[in-house]
Structures are given as C-alpha cells and as structure tokens.
Amino acid sequence: MNYQEMLETRQSCRAYDPARIPTREALTQLLEAARLAPSACNSQPYHFYIAQGEAARAVGETTRSMGMNAFTADVPTFFVVAEQPYNASAAVGARMKKQDYRAADIGLAVSQLIYRAHELGLATCILGWFDEKALQKLTGTDARVRLVVAVGYAKEGDALRAKKRKASEELATWL
C-alpha cells in the first residue's frame, strides 16, 4: 500500500476481534516506528507501557466511564504513553521559546506507530479518555500519562467509514 492509500484507509477502530492477538514481533515493529520518529533535540520525551492479557484488560477498564469507549473491552493490546523529561538541550529550548515540545513529540511518535500498525494490518484507536491515576498505579509510574493507543485486529466486516475532515482552505493560509 502506498502512503496516500494509508492516509485514506487508516481509521480509528471501534470494533476489535478479541480472539486475534498481535504478536510480540508486530508490536516490536510498532515500537520501532515510534522510536524512529523525530523529536525536539532527539530527546524522545516519552515511555511506552505495552499491555496484553490481564494487563490489557486492566488498562481497558481505565478507559471506560460515563458511557465512553465500551469497545475497549475487546482490545487485546494497549500502548500507554507516558511523558518523560526532556534532554538538556530540548529543556533549554522549551523554556526559552515557551513551547511544549513534548506534546508534539508524543504526537509524532504515536502517528508513526499507528501508521506502521495499519501497514501491518493492525487496527488502532488513540484514546485520550482514561483514568490517569489508575494508569499510573497500573504502570508503576508517577509520570504524566498522555495517551493510550488501542491495538488489535478489526472485527471481520468492520467497514471503512467516509472521512469527515475540514477542507484544505479552512486549514491553511497561503502567504
């Protein structure tokens, strides 16, 4: 599949096949894609906690409340993304320029992870609705949890939905 096809066909999955578990080899490839993502001063200010089995069930529970994310009960694997400190040069730059490079760096790493997953035939969904304190306890970290990425195989028949996006003219101004 070429890059344009990846952009047009990747979607956030909300119907996972709980019987199909991604292999460690496939998950390692996702981690490698994230590892190679650009980051400010190559600081890579994030850490991934990869959960399967009972750990995945526990992570999934942290994403379900107030009627949100019921589908995560069937997700076999989660990547929990925790923020880490900058390296020295990125920390100086962030302070001097009043920029939060970590948020951008995490977004870039997760983007590469989800597109590699799509290339491998895996489905993903980026989640921002979760119980951070519960995830911190589960992972044994006091670091800020920024995202949770659901990873698995889509259920058979999970149809490609039409993308609803703003027009280019709404997103950009040519100077």
Side-chain angles (χ1 to χ4, degrees), residues 60-172:
E61 286 177 21
T62 73
T63 68
R64 295 188 297 274
S65 67
M66 298 174 54
M68 297 292 292
N69 302 325
F71 69 91
T72 62
D74 290 334
V75 174
T77 307
F78 290 96
F79 279 68
V80 176
V81 187
E83 185 178 278
Q84 297 295 298
Y86 293 119
N87 64 19
S89 56
V92 169
R95 262 193 311 277
M96 288 179 64
K97 295 299 180 180
K98 297 184 172 118
Q99 293 287 340
D100 179 10
Y101 299 132
R102 285 180 290 210
D105 293 345
I106 288 168
L108 288 164
V110 168
S111 180
Q112 289 196 188
L113 183 153
I114 65 169
Y115 279 103
R116 181 66 173 133
H118 185 55
E119 182 181 42
L120 295 174
L122 292 165
T124 58
C125 186
I126 301 169
L127 304 164
W129 185 277
F130 50 79
D131 180 337
E132 183 177 18
K133 294 283 186 217
L135 281 172
Q136 288 171 324
K137 184 175 181 183
L138 190 79
T139 59
T141 186
D142 60 357
R144 186 77 204 267
V145 175
R146 290 299 188 176
L147 295 172
V148 174
V149 183
V151 179
Y153 291 93
K155 282 186 179 174
E156 192 172 323
D158 185 35
L160 183 63
R161 300 178 301 274
K163 292 200 179 282
K164 297 176 185 174
R165 301 292 190 270
K166 292 179 180 179
S168 297
E169 299 77 25
E170 293 180 69
L171 295 174

